[in-house]
Amino acid sequence: MSRLDQVEESATLRIADLTNELKKRGKDILSFSLGEPDFDTPRHIVDAANEAMSTGKTHYAPSAGIPELRDAIAAKLKNDNAIDVTGKDIIVTPGAKQAIFEACFGVLNKGDEAILLEPSWVSYDACIKMSEAKTVWVKSNEDGSIPADFGKHITKKTRMVILNSPNNPSGAVLTKKDLQHVADLAVDHDFYVLSDEIYEKISYGEKHYSIGSMIPDRTITVNGFSKAYAMAGWRIGYVTAPKPVFKNLLKVQQHTISSPTTFVQYGALAALNGSQDCVTEMVKQFKARRDVVMKGLKDIGLECPTPEGAFYAYPKVDGNSEKIAEGLLDAGVGLTPGSAFGPDSNDHLRMSYASSMEQIVEGLARMKKYFANQ
C-alpha cells in the first residue's frame, strides 16, 4: 500500500464541494461546513498588499519569508506567547496547513508514532500518514481536556504529540495544567509537541497559553492569519521550531513551494503591525453567533458543551453522523459529520458559525424541523 492509499480526502472540503455542486443545481442549502470567516479582510491589510504589488514586490521572496515579517512575527510571539525567538527562527508559510505538513514531514519517519487527541482536525492524521508514521488516537475528556491517563499511550516510538487549542472541531481550550502535563511527559519521554494555535485570538474568556513558553526546545509552534484576520484565501501562516527541526522544515519549504507569495507577506505585516480593533470586533460577533447557536441547539434537544474558542459547535447526535449529515443536506443544511474528526467521533456533528446571523437562525430552524421529524 502506498502512503497516499491510506489517506482519505478532506471531509470538510468534500462536504463543501458537494454543497456547492448542489447549489449549482438549484438546491437551497445553507453551508456550515467550512472553517472560513465570512468577513472581508480588513481594508488596511488589503491596501498594504495592493501597495506592495504596485511598487514591484512581485518577485521571489527569501524562502523563509521577508525579514520584516519574520521580525514582526518573532515580536508577536515574544509579547503574546512568551516564546523568546528572533526573526531568524521563523519560517513564513503559505498557510498554517503547509507549516503542519512541513513539521510532520520534517520530524516523522516510517515506524514513528504521533499522538492525536480526539476529536481532531481532519488534516493532522493525513499529514502523519503521508510522513509514513502511525497515528495513535487518544480520546479527550468530554470537556476537551487532557485525560489523566494520557501518559499510558506513550511508547518508545512516540515522536510527536499534536495539540490544537482552541480546538477544531470542539472549541475547547486547554488549560495551563493540561499543557504542563504534556510538557512534563515530553521532557520525560523525549518527543516533540506540535502546537497548532491558529484560533488563538478567537477566544471567549479563557486565557490562551502556549506550550512553547514551557518547553521551547521541544515545541513546534504553528500559527497564521486566516482565522483572526479573515485572510483564509491569502494562504499565509508561520512556524517556529527548535534548531534541529527548523533546518528540516526549511528544507521541505525550499524544495516544495520555494517561498510564500511576496505581496501577501506585506498584507500579513500590516495585519500584525496595524490596529487590532478589527480582530476584537470579529471575535465579538463570533461570540454573539455562538450564543445563538448554543440556544438553538438546546432548543433542538442536542447536547453540546459551550465552545470557549474558535467558531465551531460540536453537538452530540443519536446515530450515524454521516447518515445524519446526508439527511440534513437534503433538508438544506450542510454540516460536517463527526466521523471526520476521529475513529470514535461518529456520534457528533460540527457546525461552523462563521456565517451571518441571518443564515445561522435559518439554519437552526431547518435543523429543528429535520430532527423533529426523525
Side-chain angles (χ1 to χ4, degrees):
M1 180 183 291
S2 75
R3 64 166 65 98
L4 288 179
D5 285 339
Q6 58 182 331
V7 177
E8 297 180 358
E9 64 176 312
S10 168
T12 51
L13 296 180
R14 184 177 69 248
I15 293 291
D17 289 343
L18 178 57
T19 299
N20 289 333
E21 180 61 32
L22 291 172
K23 283 182 178 181
K24 287 179 182 179
R25 297 178 190 172
K27 178 76 173 176
D28 176 23
I29 297 178
L30 298 174
S31 179
F32 304 101
S33 59
L34 274 184
E36 178 180 4
D38 62 314
F39 305 108
D40 289 335
T41 304
R43 188 72 245 173
H44 67 284
I45 299 173
V46 175
D47 289 343
N50 279 335
E51 183 181 357
M53 281 190 285
S54 299
T55 54
K57 294 181 173 66
T58 56
H59 302 279
Y60 285 131
S63 187
I66 60 173
E68 306 97 301
L69 180 55
R70 296 172 74 191
D71 288 343
I73 291 168
K76 181 267 175 204
L77 289 172
K78 184 176 290 188
N79 294 332
D80 293 356
N81 308 94
I83 298 174
D84 190 8
V85 291
T86 69
K88 293 181 179 179
D89 302 311
I90 305 297
I91 299 175
V92 183
T93 59
K97 183 183 283 190
Q98 174 70 17
I100 291 162
F101 171 77
E102 290 179 8
C104 290
F105 204 77
V107 171
L108 300 173
N109 292 294
K110 192 170 185 177
D112 288 339
E113 294 179 351
I115 295 178
L116 284 185
L117 283 160
E118 186 177 2
S120 178
W121 177 57
V122 297
S123 291
Y124 299 135
D125 180 47
C127 288
I128 292 167
K129 288 175 177 175
M130 284 190 282
S131 304
E132 297 192 284
K134 176 186 175 183
T135 300
V136 175
W137 292 94
V138 177
K139 191 76 170 176
S140 299
N141 293 328
E142 284 299 315
D143 62 357
S145 59
I146 306 288
D149 64 352
F150 182 78
K152 78 176 187 180
H153 300 278
I154 297 168
T155 72
K156 292 181 180 180
K157 295 180 179 181
T158 303
R159 183 69 170 155
M160 178 186 287
V161 169
I162 299 180
L163 301 179
N164 174 216
S165 177
N167 177 266
N168 173 7
S170 71
V173 175
L174 294 176
T175 64
K176 190 174 184 179
K177 181 180 178 181
D178 284 323
L179 296 177
Q180 192 61 60
H181 183 188
V182 177
D184 291 343
L185 290 169
V187 172
D188 292 343
H189 296 277
D190 189 26
F191 59 78
Y192 288 108
V193 176
L194 170 54
S195 181
D196 179 2
E197 304 183 11
I198 190 68
Y199 297 99
E200 166 197 13
K201 292 186 178 295
I202 305 175
S203 182
Y204 310 118
E206 292 295 325
K207 182 174 174 55
H208 173 81
Y209 295 96
S210 292
I211 194 169
S213 66
M214 303 174 183
I215 45 169
D217 59 336
R218 296 180 184 276
T219 305
I220 304 161
T221 301
V222 171
N223 210 322
F225 298 84
S226 61
K227 313 301 182 182
Y229 297 98
M231 294 174 67
W234 294 61
R235 309 313 304 136
I236 189 80
Y238 58 88
V239 59
T240 186
K243 280 183 169 54
V245 175
F246 185 92
K247 292 177 181 178
N248 285 346
L249 306 192
L250 189 56
K251 285 180 188 177
V252 178
Q253 176 124 322
Q254 289 172 339
H255 292 293
T256 53
I257 57 94
S258 295
S259 62
T261 304
T262 303
F263 55 83
V264 165
Q265 295 184 65
Y266 288 91
L269 182 62
L272 287 180
N273 289 343
S275 170
Q276 301 301 297
D277 289 348
C278 56
V279 179
T280 302
E281 178 57 32
M282 283 188 279
V283 172
K284 181 180 177 182
Q285 293 194 46
F286 282 136
K287 185 177 185 297
R289 295 171 182 182
R290 178 201 68 169
D291 294 343
V292 170
V293 167
M294 294 308 297
K295 182 179 183 303
L297 292 176
K298 184 178 180 181
D299 288 345
I300 293 169
L302 297 178
E303 177 186 340
C304 182
T306 300
E308 296 296 339
F311 38 67
Y312 308 104
Y314 194 58
K316 192 169 185 177
V317 291
D318 184 14
N320 184 303
S321 67
E322 295 180 9
K323 291 183 179 179
I324 293 172
E326 289 175 6
L328 284 167
L329 205 54
D330 287 337
V333 187
L335 273 69
T336 307
S339 58
F341 305 107
D344 294 321
S345 295
N346 200 25
D347 56 350
H348 284 77
L349 296 168
R350 189 191 75 171
M351 178 179 182
S352 168
Y353 47 88
S355 302
S356 70
M357 190 70 83
E358 181 182 9
Q359 287 189 332
I360 289 170
V361 171
E362 175 60 23
L364 288 167
R366 294 181 186 185
M367 289 171 63
K368 186 173 184 178
K369 184 177 180 180
Y370 167 82
F371 281 106
N373 293 327
Q374 298 307 300

